[in-house]
Amino acid sequence: KQWYQRRVRDILVSELLGSFSDNELSPECLDGAQCLMKPDGLSVPSEYTSYLAPISSRKLFNNVNSQSSELAHEDSFHLGYVVRLQCFNLLDKVQPCFKFVHPNNDPVIDNSRHLSLEFTSTTESVLHGFAGYFDAKLYRDVYISTHPDTHSPDMFSWFPMFFPLKHPLRVRKDEKIVLDFWRVVDDTKVWYEWALSDPAPQAIHNSRGVTYWIGKFS
């Protein structure tokens, strides 16, 4: 359907942020709605960034593994999980992943992304997956954040995400960990893919969005 709005607005306020910032299709929704804004209009939020960090958590791995009673065993490791992280260890500092800015003034809008992130394990441990966080700039110097270093006080609206590895990997202190992470977009859906590239390459998780995806249409 097509709808033409004659009046344009000064401010566009939305509540579309997910636990990994863009995992509830905020970029697609706000890009589609910016035609309703004046050329110098203001979007709230105006930008947001996702973050990733390698973690060790036998508890989370066991919880994912236990999903085999409801899902095909392999499928449970191809999902992103919203979790309240408690029994876990960060293996390195949190690093920025994908950033989105609104209004989006790119000549051609493309919200697909790919990034290789390199970490260094601060201790000998077992790598079970990656924790996902976000922060968002609402207006000027007003931010909200689930990033461990800048977490907004008393904010419980969003928990972090967990992207598991099907095959946990023992890592040594000071060993390099390289993660390839994709945000893939097609005509009907958006999904994430992730793969460990180093120290031991693994197959791509959720390849082609076979298990975990977010539909563009309800």
Side-chain angles (χ1 to χ4, degrees):
K1 295 182 179 179
Q2 294 184 345
W3 177 63
Y4 179 70
Q5 166 66 287
R6 292 183 179 276
R7 288 187 64 186
V8 290
R9 310 295 176 172
D10 296 294
I11 302 175
L12 176 64
V13 180
S14 65
E15 199 290 293
L16 296 167
L17 294 172
S19 292
F20 197 54
S21 79
D22 58 86
N23 61 297
E24 294 184 8
L25 304 191
S26 181
E28 286 71 24
C29 293
L30 294 183
D31 290 346
Q34 67 184 24
C35 62
L36 306 177
M37 297 172 57
K38 293 180 179 179
D40 59 348
L42 173 69
S43 174
V44 179
S46 59
E47 62 182 58
Y48 37 88
T49 303
S50 55
Y51 296 84
L52 287 165
I55 65 170
S56 178
S57 176
R58 184 71 187 181
K59 177 179 174 63
L60 282 177
F61 176 81
N62 288 339
N63 287 344
V64 172
N65 199 35
S66 69
Q67 298 297 317
S68 58
S69 60
E70 301 176 12
L71 299 168
H73 174 71
E74 187 168 291
D75 286 352
S76 63
F77 287 94
H78 294 257
L79 293 164
Y81 295 86
V82 176
V83 295
R84 185 172 184 178
L85 290 175
Q86 292 177 311
C87 301
F88 77 104
N89 287 317
L90 275 175
L91 301 184
D92 196 10
K93 293 180 180 179
V94 177
Q95 292 191 28
C97 189
F98 304 140
K99 181 178 181 177
F100 295 88
V101 177
H102 300 286
N104 186 343
N105 296 316
D106 292 344
V108 177
I109 292 177
D110 180 4
N111 290 321
S112 59
R113 301 282 192 275
H114 169 248
L115 192 65
S116 289
L117 295 173
E118 182 175 318
F119 303 92
T120 301
S121 182
T122 58
T123 185
E124 182 174 342
S125 189
V126 176
L127 173 64
H128 291 105
F130 294 83
Y133 306 94
F134 83 93
D135 64 20
K137 179 181 179 181
L138 302 182
Y139 177 66
R140 292 185 177 175
D141 61 347
V142 180
Y143 286 81
I144 56 173
S145 174
T146 64
H147 189 297
D149 296 337
T150 58
H151 194 285
S152 300
D154 302 320
M155 187 180 74
F156 300 101
S157 299
W158 295 272
F159 291 138
M161 288 197 73
F162 175 58
F163 297 96
L165 292 178
K166 181 182 176 183
H167 302 292
L169 184 71
R170 180 163 290 279
V171 293
R172 301 184 302 273
K173 186 177 185 298
D174 297 326
E175 188 164 26
K176 182 170 66 174
I177 299 169
V178 179
L179 172 71
D180 279 281
F181 204 91
W182 294 264
R183 186 183 198 267
V184 190
V185 180
D186 70 11
D187 291 339
T188 61
K189 59 186 182 295
V190 176
W191 67 94
Y192 301 109
E193 299 178 3
W194 60 97
L196 191 67
S197 302
D198 207 17
Q202 295 188 10
I204 295 175
H205 293 67
N206 197 40
S207 178
R208 302 185 304 277
V210 65
T211 300
Y212 170 49
W213 50 270
I214 311 103
K216 291 183 177 180
F217 308 102
S218 58

